[in-house]
Amino acid sequence: MDMGTLFRALADDSRLRIMLLLQVMELSVGELAQVLEQSQPRVSRHVRILAEAGLAERHKEGSWVFLRPALPRRDHEAARLLDAFLRREDAVGETLCAQHASDRAQLDAIRSVRDQRAADFFAQHAGEWDAIRSLYLPEAEVEAALAALIGDRPLGRLLDIGTGTGRMIELFGPIADHSTALDRSPEMLRLARAKLQHMQGGTVDLIQADFYALPLADGAADTILLHQVLHYAQNPQAVLDEAGRVAAPGAHIAIVDFAAHALEELRERDAHARLGFSDEAMTALLAHAGFDLAETCSLSGGTLTVKIWLGQHRGEPARIHPHSRTPETPRKAAA
């Protein structure tokens, strides 16, 4: 690793601002342009320099390009030291700290608008949610494949993150010791409550909360489900890190979502934040959250391919740095 190249890349204030923002979360070039209030071509040039220096990694998703820090994955002492330095806001100077605080506030405002758009979509379409899901692949096929992948292992304390209408709890709740159905949308939870009212009292908790801040204790879940939820997350890593926090040692996590695709219209029409996930990307996301990928399953139907990833928690905490959790999301719960 050429340290001179690294420090020359960071000598520009805009590129240092970009690297500090990437410590918070993975961002698109367009989002960085909005935060920095610079043109996309100019930001793209900064990104190219950072990538060539080995400081950032680019990955394309449809017509969008996302950035993430490359240093944590470099097996070099210099990389570890520089990565630790970038995570210490007190080490970059009072002026830059003030600029970074302003950048964070701008980023939070951008994210808030997008989160509200997604929340509005859920509220408008809550009553037809199961039908929307069935457009991609017959849901019965997905449910059968998920049940086969989970097998007959004990579910213990089941957590369904982004429960929607409660269908996953309806399927797997009867064989769990206790179930928690969690969603941020009150409209969805009302539908879930109606669907699950036949289940034995005390066996299911319905909680209104955000998947970035689960109102559960560490190690509180033995089985975690995210069924067609993760592609709505602006920060999928933070969601899975939080799932890793509440996972008991040896807990299983099953993620049902789309394989990587290029249907850009889903961003605007259906409020998708991410266009599916590759196996490589999902393996890395899970590993960071403390899970090993155990099994995968692919289900092709129509234009999109549905994937199921099954992971098992190693019993180690997620590698969460101070800014990995969305800071503006409060922990709250409501029956």
Side-chain angles (χ1 to χ4, degrees), residues 193-255:
R193 192 178 302 278
K195 178 173 285 188
L196 302 175
Q197 62 185 343
H198 65 281
M199 295 185 67
Q200 183 178 345
T203 62
V204 181
D205 291 332
L206 286 92
I207 297 176
Q208 182 184 356
D210 197 286
F211 51 20
Y212 291 120
L214 303 175
L216 300 173
D218 295 359
D222 302 306
T223 303
I224 300 172
L225 302 178
L226 289 103
H227 183 274
Q228 296 291 17
V229 170
L230 205 57
H231 60 253
Y232 291 107
Q234 299 288 348
N235 189 352
Q237 187 64 75
V239 174
L240 291 184
D241 284 350
E242 184 70 347
R245 179 187 67 78
V246 304
H252 286 88
I253 186 169
I255 301 170

Side-chain angles (χ1 to χ4, degrees), residues 133 142-151 153-155 157-163 168 172 221-231 239-240 243-244 247 250-258 277 282 286 291-297 306-313:
R133 284 178 170 170
V142 178
E143 293 170 357
L146 178 59
L149 206 60
I150 291 176
R153 60 173 58 91
L155 299 184
R157 298 162 297 175
L158 173 64
L159 169 63
D160 185 25
I161 299 174
T163 196
M168 291 297 101
F172 297 106
D222 302 306
T223 303
I224 300 172
L225 302 178
L226 289 103
H227 183 274
Q228 296 291 17
V229 170
L230 205 57
H231 60 253
V239 174
L240 291 184
H252 286 88
I253 186 169
I255 301 170
V256 181
D257 217 296
F258 298 123
F277 302 90
M282 187 60 70
L286 286 170
F291 296 94
D292 290 322
L293 183 62
E295 296 181 65
T296 63
C297 175
V306 173
K307 295 281 298 189
I308 305 175
W309 295 274
L310 183 68
Q312 185 168 18
H313 201 267

Side-chain angles (χ1 to χ4, degrees), residues 2 19 37 75 91 119 128 140 173 196-197 209 215 248-249 300 305 319:
D2 181 355
M19 287 305 302
E37 297 182 331
D75 187 20
E128 53 187 292
L196 302 175
Q197 62 185 343
S300 297
T305 295
R319 293 182 281 113

Side-chain angles (χ1 to χ4, degrees), residues 26-47:
E26 189 176 279
L27 294 167
S28 72
V29 172
E31 288 168 333
L32 287 169
Q34 284 183 271
V35 174
L36 270 62
E37 297 182 331
Q38 297 178 10
S39 68
Q40 286 210 26
R42 185 175 179 183
V43 172
S44 294
R45 177 179 175 275
H46 290 315
V47 165

